[in-house]
Amino acid sequence: MPANTAPPSTKKKGRRARLIVIVLVLALVAGIGYGTYWGVSTVRASLPQTTGTIELKGLSGRVDVRRDSYGVPQIYANSDQDLFRAQGYVQAQDRFWEMDVRRHMTSGRLSEMFGPGQVKTDAFLRTLDWRGVAQREYDTMLSAETKKNLQSYADGVNAYLQGKDGKDLSVEYAALNFTNDYKPAKWTPVDSVAWLKAMAWDLRGNMQDEIDRSLLTSRLSKNQIEDLYPSYPYDRNRPIVAEGGIDPITGKYDPDAEPGGQAVDGTGAGTGLGTGTGTGTGNTGTGTGGTGTGNAIGTNSPAGAAESLDSRLDALSDTLDDIPALLGPSGNGIGSNSWVVSGKYTTTNKPLLANDPHLAPQLPSLWYQMGLHCRSVSATCQYDVAGYTFSGMPGVIIGHNQDIAWGFTNLGADVTDLYLEKVDGDSYQYGDGQKRFKTREETIKIAGAPARKITVRSTDRGPVVSDRDGELEKVGDKAPVGDVAPDRGDGYAVSLQWTALQPGKSMDAVFELNKAKDFTGFRKAAEHFEVPSQNLIYADTKGNIGYQAPGKIPVRADGFDGRMPAPGWDPKYKWKGYIPFDELPYEYNPKRGYIVTANQAVIDADTYPYPLTEDWGYGARSQRINDLIESKIKDGGKISTDDMQTMQMDNSSQIATVLMPYLLKIDVSDPAIREAQKLLEGWDGTQEPDSAAAAYFNAVWRNVLKLAFGNKLPKEVRVKGECLNVLTADSTGPVDDLDKVVRECGQRDPDSAQPDGGDRWYEVVRKIIKDEDNAWWSTPGKGGDDDIKTRDGLLERAMVDARWELTAKLGKDISSWNWGRLHQLTLKNQTLGTEGPGFLQFMLNRGPWNLGGGEATVDATGWNAAGGYEVIWVPSMRMVVNVGDWDKSRWINLTGASGHAYSAHYTDQTDKWAKGELLDWSYSVNVVERGTTDTLTLTP
């Protein structure tokens, strides 16, 4: 069998990689790192064979793996089992380290690879029991065909692993072997299923908002908190579904029905945690069709009574920060754009479909491009599909087959609830009685240390997550409770109810989507895609377009809105069931001729009987896409593939249109500040990498948020390590009243701190911008002239602070400023590239890239305004599908096909991705053959 041979088109890239290797080897010989010699053979040993022939046990016939000049594989086989066995083999060739780390994460076994530092994370993940749920899913829920495909995939992975040492698998294993004698275990079908749980966790909806709202009660009133979580602007940012409703006769959702349907009875108990000075009265419960008031978890004491619960919830939030966010930081940056345009409005006369999921930047990218082709589609070989897959999972997640194309964005439904539990020994109160906790013992094996055991407690609703932190062992010694709550006793625990902790059929849905031929088959597959709940868009070769909102979405008790932790002892707060699939919104060939999903509201809450969530993205991106489409098709215009690609790179700042008129009218006397203000004159709001105006505006926006809101928030949600002298919660005096001042330092990870500057904050500012004397503009200083009283005073201060912030970061000469120098992307290996020794990080990481775009723009290179300007989520891939003329489709990945640090395909797509370029996406066999540079034949 020949060694790996680089295709001619990649020789230049290969020479550069080899030069890097030589430099690193020389550095290692000189004593850097562990002082151990790593030869070129070590870093090249794991590069996969991509030409020639390999015997693969279990195949029934020949399989061809054709790779193009970017290393993207297209697999050709004669049976389903051969196809998925080869998929497992090829993905393991390119990405096994990523796959192995991922399965250890999903099973709570990171400590086995990385030692004691991962015990806390493992304990939390064992408590959630993703692996156990995946096992039950595999055993009891999945179809026989799905199980067969999963087993074939696992067999292919294991065939690749057979006989290989760590250095033969990746350079990371070679590095890990310095401190750990870890050996990878065989892959199993459940390893693949468990990945869906990690995906669901990062897309779980409003759990962080639920925690944050609770934490805010220590410093803000109920009305102030409502100011910071405004209602969705349905009048300005339209929801996904604009037509249809529940048919009153059939009880099913009908896209052609009149909007509305039976209202859910709103009478019931209100829910809320109250504020620092409450009297026990909670929030008003609200339901579609009516409202009701009732008892809630209010407060009986002045400031400080909520302190204990707040610290427990903060500890839980810290634990959540420690969980590897494989898809991205928690917040409204987790999302995506997708839209589909009917052939009536396209230059191709067939639908065009675009998708770009916004996820955490990773190296390698979360996505893996691939084609899975039966040479002849039949009953025994059913697939001819191409698109984006996850390493470690068979099938294609987003893409197209011969007949249909589809895309995903996060729906954001509220599928989690936190409950306070009144604990008494080994039981918890429920109604007037007691229920015993369900318990199990878990053993966490640790590299280089003795194993540790933990006990997991669960209620009927779900696991007790507060057990996983020392501060959470006894929750609520001073919890804010009213007369309706039981005595504190030993305090309150916090449990979690989450739809993903119940076995489901989402893995079935992946294969059903891959085979679907029409909208009926598409919807049938969507019915099984229970978690995570996603917006699914659709187009087919017959010219139809569609949308489906799938997912297992709970129906809560009347008046229980899921926005705050609920009293677990009260049966009224029990979930009543799930929204029937037939009653979930969908569209098919809507009259407007296009569908846009970008994490905005799915449907107007006044026309739909089931509350899906109150924590949508606020629609800045989605409305911009709607506007761009409408501007193209008005007066008979048509949209081309190029137009779709251009729209994906739109970087217009929506908040700039709100703030700019006010910033420009401020009379600035300081010449240095006036010089910066002039940058904004004539600026059109586009955020190109070389734009000085974009740099200055975003710095102003960051400082507006800090002054108006950030400095007034409790320490639990502010950036870790940033300290302020703040007034005590019960104070109304000036900051120079030393008796009322305390020193508080932030405690939140910068990527998830508040105010994050997303489109929720756009709405917050939009609602108060015309009110010059709104209380939020008032920002105490050191007294006297330093106090800010009005909007214009705060905006001027933000302009001053932004000028000197950028002077420190970019230099005094504003002609040298540009947005890209502030707004940089560094791609980091998600394990040793972030936590490993410095020389390993140098070997494994790449960048930085100076980027345009920004938060809540279509080109969503997100940044957290509380934490800084660094890019923390990105369009993780982009695709534009030319339906019916598949070979004219285009795609790009964030990084490259390979997870090997010195492969030519490690980051060979990133430069093009950063510029908004797309690659040709070959699909038909003849076009794939013309683009093939390497062919590997797998034989029985």
Side-chain angles (χ1 to χ4, degrees):
M1 295 181 291
N4 177 71
T5 303
S9 60
T10 63
K11 284 183 177 178
K12 184 176 180 181
K13 299 173 184 175
R15 282 197 298 271
R16 181 176 176 272
R18 285 193 291 275
L19 286 172
I20 294 172
V21 171
I22 292 169
V23 171
L24 288 168
V25 169
L26 291 173
L28 290 165
V29 170
I32 294 176
Y34 295 100
T36 301
Y37 176 78
W38 277 10
V40 173
S41 61
T42 300
V43 294
R44 288 184 58 85
S46 58
L47 297 183
Q49 177 182 339
T50 58
T51 62
T53 301
I54 296 175
E55 291 184 2
L56 183 58
K57 183 179 179 181
L59 289 180
S60 61
R62 189 188 89 250
V63 175
D64 294 324
V65 182
R66 300 182 180 275
R67 293 179 183 261
D68 65 13
S69 61
Y70 286 87
V72 175
Q74 306 277 347
I75 300 177
Y76 293 86
N78 293 327
S79 73
D80 291 344
Q81 273 53 65
D82 283 359
L83 196 63
F84 294 118
R85 185 173 278 105
Q87 184 183 14
Y89 187 90
V90 170
Q91 286 192 340
Q93 279 187 308
D94 284 337
R95 299 281 194 95
F96 185 72
W97 169 262
E98 175 193 6
M99 293 163 59
D100 199 18
V101 171
R102 184 178 293 164
R103 68 164 163 177
H104 278 77
M105 192 275 288
T106 58
S107 58
R109 293 170 47 223
L110 289 169
S111 300
E112 295 178 19
M113 297 183 77
F114 304 112
Q118 298 298 323
V119 170
K120 182 178 178 181
T121 297
D122 282 346
F124 190 81
L125 294 171
R126 295 286 185 99
T127 299
L128 296 182
D129 196 28
W130 294 348
R131 173 74 186 201
V133 177
Q135 185 68 59
R136 294 192 295 277
E137 207 159 276
Y138 182 81
D139 291 341
T140 64
M141 302 296 292
L142 300 181
S143 70
E145 181 179 334
T146 294
K147 290 182 180 181
K148 187 181 293 186
N149 294 343
L150 287 165
Q151 186 60 61
S152 295
Y153 180 90
D155 290 344
V157 174
N158 293 328
Y160 179 72
L161 295 179
Q162 189 172 6
K164 290 183 173 63
D165 294 325
K167 66 180 177 59
D168 300 322
L169 297 173
S170 78
V171 70
E172 290 95 334
Y173 286 110
L176 194 65
N177 284 341
F178 282 126
T179 59
N180 188 354
D181 60 357
Y182 170 80
K183 303 294 182 186
K186 287 186 175 182
W187 193 264
T188 73
V190 179
D191 292 333
S192 297
V193 178
W195 167 234
L196 286 170
K197 303 304 171 187
M199 182 178 169
W201 175 253
D202 281 353
L203 301 175
R204 62 192 178 275
N206 78 335
M207 183 173 168
Q208 191 66 57
D209 287 325
E210 188 174 336
I211 292 171
D212 285 357
R213 276 189 289 263
S214 302
L215 294 173
L216 294 179
T217 62
S218 69
R219 187 158 293 278
L220 303 180
S221 70
K222 176 180 179 293
N223 288 338
Q224 287 175 316
I225 295 172
E226 291 301 314
D227 285 347
L228 303 186
Y229 289 87
S231 57
Y232 186 88
Y234 289 100
D235 59 334
R236 188 175 63 256
N237 296 341
R238 73 186 65 159
I240 297 170
V241 174
E243 304 162 16
I246 303 291
D247 186 286
I249 298 175
T250 65
K252 297 180 179 181
Y253 192 88
D254 183 350
D256 298 320
E258 289 296 319
Q262 288 190 329
V264 176
D265 182 7
T267 303
T271 180
L273 280 170
T275 70
T277 57
T279 60
T281 302
N283 300 341
T284 299
T286 303
T288 306
T291 62
T293 60
N295 295 318
I297 312 172
T299 63
N300 289 324
S301 53
E307 207 169 283
S308 180
L309 180 63
D310 290 341
S311 67
R312 274 56 172 184
L313 288 171
D314 177 50
L316 176 58
S317 183
D318 286 345
T319 301
L320 300 184
D321 273 343
D322 289 338
I323 305 305
L326 292 184
L327 303 188
S330 179
N332 65 5
I334 285 280
S336 306
N337 301 321
S338 71
W339 65 94
V340 60
V341 182
S342 167
K344 177 182 178 182
Y345 296 119
T346 67
T347 58
T348 64
N349 296 318
K350 289 288 180 74
L352 294 173
L353 184 150
N355 196 187
D356 56 288
H358 307 155
L359 305 171
Q362 297 181 47
L363 185 57
S365 166
L366 184 76
W367 299 107
Y368 185 95
Q369 297 151 290
M370 189 172 238
L372 300 172
H373 307 280
C374 290
R375 294 190 180 95
S376 177
V377 175
S378 65
T380 56
C381 200
Q382 305 172 77
Y383 298 87
D384 189 6
V385 61
Y388 294 86
T389 73
F390 293 132
S391 300
M393 183 185 295
V396 167
I397 304 300
I398 293 174
H400 71 83
N401 59 28
Q402 292 175 326
D403 302 296
I404 75 166
W406 66 94
F408 282 12
T409 65
N410 193 28
L411 192 150
D414 185 358
V415 295
T416 62
D417 278 318
L418 294 172
Y419 289 87
L420 297 182
E421 305 291 355
K422 171 60 177 67
V423 178
D424 185 5
D426 60 359
S427 64
Y428 60 98
Q429 183 173 333
Y430 188 73
D432 295 329
Q434 297 287 320
K435 288 195 171 186
R436 292 179 67 86
F437 285 110
K438 304 168 189 174
T439 62
R440 70 178 190 277
E441 191 174 82
E442 295 275 351
T443 300
I444 299 174
K445 297 178 181 178
I446 308 167
R452 300 185 192 178
K453 292 185 178 182
I454 63 169
T455 298
V456 177
R457 299 188 296 174
S458 296
T459 70
D460 287 347
R461 283 180 293 265
V464 178
V465 291
S466 56
D467 285 348
R468 297 286 70 84
D469 190 283
E471 293 184 13
L472 288 167
E473 289 180 359
K474 295 183 178 180
V475 177
D477 291 342
K478 297 180 181 178
V481 294
D483 295 337
V484 296
D487 292 336
R488 292 186 179 91
D490 291 333
Y492 298 119
V494 180
S495 66
L496 169 67
Q497 186 166 17
W498 177 33
T499 55
L501 298 184
Q502 303 167 33
K505 296 185 176 183
S506 293
M507 197 69 237
D508 282 347
V510 172
F511 297 111
E512 290 167 350
L513 270 177
N514 287 195
K515 296 184 295 183
K517 296 183 178 298
D518 53 28
F519 194 62
T520 299
F522 169 80
R523 291 195 69 216
K524 180 181 177 183
E527 182 174 3
H528 291 152
F529 207 96
E530 298 165 331
V531 290
S533 186
Q534 299 288 287
N535 297 306
L536 283 168
I537 60 166
Y538 167 94
D540 65 34
T541 54
K542 295 180 180 178
N544 302 302
I545 65 173
Y547 162 82
Q548 177 68 55
K552 198 169 190 177
I553 303 172
V555 177
R556 291 174 174 81
D558 300 332
F560 175 26
D561 58 19
R563 298 178 78 237
M564 290 278 200
W569 50 82
D570 191 340
K572 291 178 182 178
Y573 295 90
K574 182 181 180 180
W575 288 359
K576 297 167 66 175
Y578 302 93
I579 302 174
F581 179 78
D582 286 341
E583 297 181 43
L584 287 168
Y586 73 96
E587 284 191 319
Y588 189 57
N589 295 326
K591 296 173 185 176
R592 63 185 178 280
Y594 61 90
I595 301 169
V596 175
T597 86
N599 319 115
Q600 78 271 40
V602 169
I603 190 169
D604 194 322
D606 290 336
T607 67
Y608 186 67
Y610 297 105
L612 298 174
T613 186
E614 294 192 23
D615 291 306
W616 303 109
Y618 280 76
R621 283 182 289 112
S622 61
Q623 192 56 44
R624 177 63 177 169
I625 297 168
N626 274 296
D627 292 344
L628 289 170
I629 293 173
E630 290 177 358
S631 70
K632 291 294 296 184
I633 66 176
K634 69 179 181 181
D635 302 325
K638 299 276 188 174
I639 292 176
S640 67
T641 307
D642 287 341
D643 291 330
M644 299 284 277
Q645 183 174 341
T646 299
M647 289 179 197
Q648 287 183 325
M649 294 302 293
D650 182 85
N651 57 29
S652 175
S653 170
Q654 303 304 296
I655 190 58
T657 63
V658 176
L659 275 185
M660 287 282 288
Y662 299 93
L663 296 174
L664 290 174
K665 77 175 186 179
I666 293 174
D667 186 12
V668 176
S669 57
D670 186 323
I673 311 307
R674 174 61 185 143
E675 183 184 28
Q677 186 187 37
K678 286 181 178 179
L679 290 173
L680 304 180
E681 296 177 356
W683 179 53
D684 62 1
T686 58
Q687 301 174 93
E688 296 296 331
D690 60 357
S691 171
Y696 183 57
F697 174 80
N698 283 315
V700 172
W701 170 235
R702 180 173 187 247
N703 281 279
V704 166
L705 291 169
K706 179 180 179 181
L707 292 167
F709 310 105
N711 291 349
K712 301 167 187 173
L713 300 180
K715 62 183 181 296
E716 291 85 1
V717 302
R718 297 202 318 268
V719 174
K720 189 179 298 181
E722 291 189 0
C723 302
L724 296 169
N725 291 328
V726 300
L727 297 171
T728 56
D730 60 344
S731 174
T732 57
V735 171
D736 59 358
D737 181 355
L738 297 180
D739 292 336
K740 297 294 185 180
V741 172
V742 293
R743 184 73 168 167
E744 287 188 349
C745 298
Q747 299 176 353
R748 182 66 64 82
D749 185 273
D751 289 354
S752 56
Q754 294 294 335
D756 62 22
D759 61 358
R760 171 165 69 88
W761 293 97
Y762 294 7
E763 290 303 309
V764 171
V765 170
R766 191 189 296 270
K767 286 183 178 296
I768 67 172
I769 193 67
K770 294 181 180 180
D771 182 0
E772 296 181 55
D773 299 314
N774 189 282
W776 286 108
W777 302 124
S778 178
T779 301
K782 296 179 181 178
D785 294 340
D786 197 49
D787 289 350
I788 298 172
K789 302 292 187 182
T790 66
R791 175 198 64 208
D792 289 353
L794 186 140
L795 294 181
E796 184 175 6
R797 173 70 66 79
M799 292 170 70
V800 171
D801 291 351
R803 176 28 158 143
W804 301 121
E805 180 188 1
L806 294 199
T807 297
K809 292 179 182 295
L810 301 179
K812 185 177 180 180
D813 181 4
I814 66 171
S815 67
S816 68
W817 291 1
N818 67 65
W819 177 224
R821 286 176 61 200
L822 277 179
H823 191 54
Q824 292 186 324
L825 168 67
T826 300
L827 291 171
K828 296 181 180 180
N829 178 286
Q830 290 300 291
T831 51
L832 300 181
T834 56
E835 302 293 338
F839 86 94
L840 265 182
Q841 294 189 35
F842 176 76
M843 290 177 66
L844 298 174
N845 299 341
R846 299 291 184 271
W849 283 264
N850 295 351
L851 298 184
E855 182 65 30
T857 66
V858 181
D859 181 20
T861 55
W863 55 287
N864 185 305
Y869 304 98
E870 179 184 3
V871 176
I872 60 173
W873 48 66
V874 293
S876 55
M877 61 80 158
R878 298 186 184 100
M879 73 177 193
V880 177
V881 182
N882 197 316
V883 177
D885 197 352
W886 305 114
D887 292 314
K888 292 183 179 178
S889 300
R890 303 172 188 172
W891 62 354
I892 198 79
N893 205 348
L894 172 64
T895 60
S898 180
H900 297 286
Y902 297 102
S903 165
H905 306 304
Y906 193 46
T907 56
D908 58 341
Q909 297 186 48
T910 308
D911 285 345
K912 289 182 178 294
W913 172 92
K915 297 173 185 175
E917 299 176 12
L918 301 178
L919 304 175
D920 292 337
W921 179 355
S922 300
Y923 176 72
S924 66
V925 62
N926 291 336
V927 176
V928 169
E929 285 181 358
R930 286 201 298 270
T932 296
T933 57
D934 281 5
T935 300
L936 175 68
T937 301
L938 303 176
T939 62

